[in-house]
Each structure stands twice: as C-alpha cells, then as structure tokens.
Amino acid sequence: MPGRLALSAAATDGVHLRTEEVGDWLAERARAHRFRVERVPFAALDGWSFEDGTGNLVHRSGRFFSVEGLRVSTGSEPHRLWHQPIIKQPEVGILGILAKEFDGVLHFLMQAKMEPGNPNLLQLSPTVQATRSNYTKVHRGADVKYLEYFTRPGRGRVLADVLQSEHGSWFYRKANRNVVVEALDDVPPADDFRWLTLGQLGELLHRDLTVNMDARTVLSCLPDHGRPTGALHSDTEVLSWFTGERSRHDVHAERVPLATLPGWVRGPESIAREDGRYFRVVAVSVEADSREVPHWTQPLIEPVAPGVTAFVARRIHGVLHVLAHARVEGGFLDTVELGPTVQYTPANYAHLAPADRPPFLDLVLNATPGQVRYEATHSEEGGRFLNAVGRTLVVEADAADAPLDPPPGYRWVTPGQLRSLVRHGHYLNVQARTLLACLGAMGEEGR
C-alpha cells in the first residue's frame, strides 16, 4: 500500500479529469444547481426553537444537533475559566472516500458538495459526508450516494478507518468516522463526482477554498507512504510527553443552559459576546437542489474574524520537523489533543502587548515570503460554521525564533510521527490533520 499511495501522489493528472480542468468542472457544477444562503432571524427557523427553561436551541425531531452552553475550568492561566455556546451532536457521522485503481494508479472519488457555511458554497468533499441523522433520512430526503461502501461489510478493501474529533472549540465531544475504502467493483461517477489522484489532490490543496475540511481530515488518515527517519525524539518519547501533557491538565467541561451564559447576549438574529469577540451563533435559510433536501433552515456558528493555523518548521539534522502544541479545548473528549504551533484568530489578541500574545503568533504573522513553505486559505466545516476561513501555513524558522527546547506544551515531531499518531483517534485535532494533509501536498512530506 505505501508504494501504491506514493505512485498516486506522484500522478498529477487523472484518467478522467486533468488537474487544470478541476476549477472549470467545479464552476460547471455550481451553474448546474440552484444555491442560495440567506441570513434570517431565529424566529424564521423552521423546526428549531429555544427550549423552555434552558434556552437551548434544539430541533423538534430531537435529532441533528443542539446549541447549548458550556462551562470550562482548567485551573491554570491564561484561561482559567470561561463560558461559551457549544454544538452538541452526539451521533457519529461518516466521512468516507472511495478509492479505485485506474491504469495502475489509485484514484479517489471526490464530490462537488454545497455547504451553506462555505464562502464559495461549493468545494471538493469526501465521497460520503453525512451525519447519522442525514443518512438515516430523518429529514425524509433522498438517499446518500455510495453510502453502502461504508456501511456494508465486504463492499471493498479498507485502507483507513479511525474515529477522529471535530473542532474542540465549537463541538462538545463530537467525533466522525474517517474512512477510506478501495472499491472492488465498477463505480461509475455520478454528475457531482469525479475520480482524482493523490497528486491532483495535493496540487488542489494549494488552491484557496477548494478542498473542504472533511476531505482534508480523511486524506490525513491515509497510511504513511514514505516516512523519513532521524526524528529528534523517538516515538516512545513523543507518546510519553503527550501522556504527560494530558495528565498535567485538569480540565472540567460541564454543559449548562444556553440562557445562563455570563457575558453572552441573545438577540433576534444572533447570540454573541458582549465584547464582540470570538464567535456568534446565527441562523440561515438554505436552498440547494443538489442536496438530499432542497430547502432547510439551521443555526450556524460564525467566527468574528479570519483565523490563522500554522506549523512552525525546522530542519533538525537534515530532517523536517514541525512544532506541535498540546492544546486544551473545551469540547475535547480527553483534555488535550495535538494541534498546530499556532491556531488563533489574531483579532482576538490585537489588544494585548507582545509579551502577552500567544507563543509564535507574531512569528507566523510576520513571516517573510522566504520563510513560508506552504500557504493557502481554507475554510472549516461548512455544514456547521459560517465563513470560518483562515490562512493555513507552514513557516520555516531558525534556532533563534524556534529553539530545540521549546516552551512547555510544545514538542518537535516529524510529519511521519504525526502520521503514526493519526492512525488513532483523539491524538491530532482537526486543524493539525489539515496541516498534515498539506504537508503531504508539499511533496515528500515537505522534504
């Protein structure tokens, strides 16, 4: 399998669609459908209401998801205690990519999928991207195409299959099944689907707002196809450090009524912080005739400003390393997960003195073009988040800015070590998984 994946990664054109044609194909699929997203007041939501007593925003079916309150205490600075809205969606969704070999090269079936929160609406998504409520048709809509390859045993060869967390800052203990299955039979692509190689997807990851978050996280879970040696810390040392990070953080996350959150105000069209920072909860009305249901309304979380996620990178003894951060997020199942070096919304920290700003944030924001090894603008999950976009970077630093002995909570690791960890759930957060996919897109894990 590593050799087959490496061959696919080296193939920059597919048998059915050349890479240079993908943009035109996406534009054609956008023209072929009717898409419309309109902000609406909460009172215009159909089937959604604020629950008596708690003020939680819930659906009348009791399914899909709810917006509730969360109280998080960590017992340590800089964020000892905070309150926030959070999405509670206890069901596990399927993020599945179907693979098949054409002319001796593995291709992956990608979907041109509309999500209401995407700034450009249509992006490349996994073959199947569906919550349990969707694929069991709580909405009484159409069937999810190709679902049987991921729910019926024996329909194909499993290449990757792991439960991974969703955004720990906005979801409460949410996980999705990230799965890649190689089809053993003929699979004609439907109109909104095309077969692409890993090499094509790698090139497309360099384009802004093209490969969606769900596709990026599944691609990061593929088996390693060329792991370099020479890591600064052994795998056992990295695991021991990470276990220590999980042990030293005392995180208590408690769901509370949405109506009781201090510092948050509910208006007719949004739930927002009094100081206007971080994010808000809003409502939208959606039309999309390519989806299982052509019209619906729903809440979305909208950040107040663009974000930045980045790995700071160094060559250590000739081997590329990136600086991982053991991050505390209120919605994580197990205290911390490994995240990028930088994962912040810079506008939230603009009022602070340089010494009080998060480590390495200014290094990334002030990086020269010569330091930037990778850069693209990507959006987060468009089914729950509105206009959640940010710069995604790999920034090379020197010993003065990024010493071998980093601050507490940070550790130098190789991309290969991250690929080993991502085979298991709840080790890498979704932003780190995006960057891991991007490191692969740089070629030979950025070497």
Side-chain angles (χ1 to χ4, degrees), residues 180-428:
V180 182
V181 172
E182 183 179 1
L184 305 177
D185 55 358
D186 290 333
V187 186
D191 288 341
D192 290 324
F193 296 78
R194 286 294 183 270
W195 293 100
L196 301 172
T197 68
L198 274 183
Q200 290 181 286
L201 291 168
E203 290 197 7
L204 294 169
L205 278 166
H206 286 82
R207 300 185 187 179
D208 294 345
L209 303 174
T210 299
V211 181
N212 83 351
M213 185 220 78
D214 301 282
R216 300 192 303 265
T217 180
V218 178
L219 291 170
S220 77
C221 296
L222 281 168
D224 197 355
H225 51 276
R227 179 181 178 185
T229 57
L232 179 64
H233 304 286
S234 70
D235 291 355
T236 300
E237 289 171 337
V238 171
L239 282 171
S240 177
W241 166 78
F242 183 59
T243 302
E245 287 297 311
R246 280 186 163 171
S247 300
R248 78 179 179 89
H249 289 282
D250 187 18
V251 180
H252 296 277
E254 175 189 5
R255 288 160 48 208
V256 297
L258 183 62
T260 67
L261 294 181
W264 291 82
V265 178
R266 188 180 106 193
E269 298 184 348
S270 70
I271 302 169
R273 274 177 57 113
E274 292 173 335
D275 61 9
R277 295 165 63 197
Y278 298 109
F279 65 90
R280 50 188 166 250
V281 181
V282 298
V284 295
S285 173
V286 185
E287 290 183 19
D289 60 14
S290 65
R291 294 290 298 267
E292 294 82 11
V293 174
H295 176 260
W296 72 94
T297 61
Q298 69 170 96
L300 290 171
I301 282 180
E302 182 182 34
V304 299
V308 173
T309 59
F311 269 138
V312 171
R314 275 190 64 184
R315 291 194 176 275
I316 302 172
H317 306 308
V319 176
L320 182 72
H321 286 67
V322 296
L323 191 57
H325 180 204
R327 285 184 56 88
V328 172
E329 296 182 20
F332 283 155
L333 180 65
D334 195 357
T335 62
V336 303
E337 294 188 13
L338 289 181
T341 320
V342 167
Q343 180 188 317
Y344 302 107
T345 299
N348 290 329
Y349 303 91
H351 63 289
L352 298 177
D356 297 325
R357 289 158 62 84
F360 306 105
L361 175 59
D362 289 328
L363 169 64
V364 168
L365 295 179
N366 298 325
T368 65
Q371 291 178 279
V372 177
R373 300 286 307 283
Y374 172 92
E375 181 175 9
T377 296
H378 294 304
S379 60
E380 301 302 334
E381 211 279 310
R384 298 291 177 268
F385 312 133
L386 179 63
N387 297 325
V389 299
R391 296 170 65 205
T392 302
L393 304 104
V394 177
V395 173
E396 194 156 12
D398 57 24
D401 290 325
L404 289 185
D405 185 17
Y410 295 82
R411 180 60 54 113
W412 290 105
V413 295
T414 66
Q417 288 177 313
L418 292 179
R419 288 200 177 277
S420 178
L421 292 173
V422 83
R423 294 169 54 197
H424 310 280
H426 304 287
Y427 277 84
L428 270 65

Side-chain angles (χ1 to χ4, degrees), residues 142-153:
D143 292 331
V144 176
K145 291 182 174 67
Y146 307 106
L147 178 67
E148 64 274 13
Y149 287 94
F150 306 99
T151 57
R152 298 179 190 172

Side-chain angles (χ1 to χ4, degrees), residues 160-193:
D161 196 353
V162 59
L163 283 180
Q164 297 286 7
S165 62
E166 284 246 27
H167 293 74
S169 295
W170 294 331
F171 276 108
Y172 181 74
R173 299 184 178 179
K174 175 74 169 68
N176 282 323
R177 185 181 178 193
N178 288 233
V179 56
V180 182
V181 172
E182 183 179 1
L184 305 177
D185 55 358
D186 290 333
V187 186
D191 288 341
D192 290 324
F193 296 78

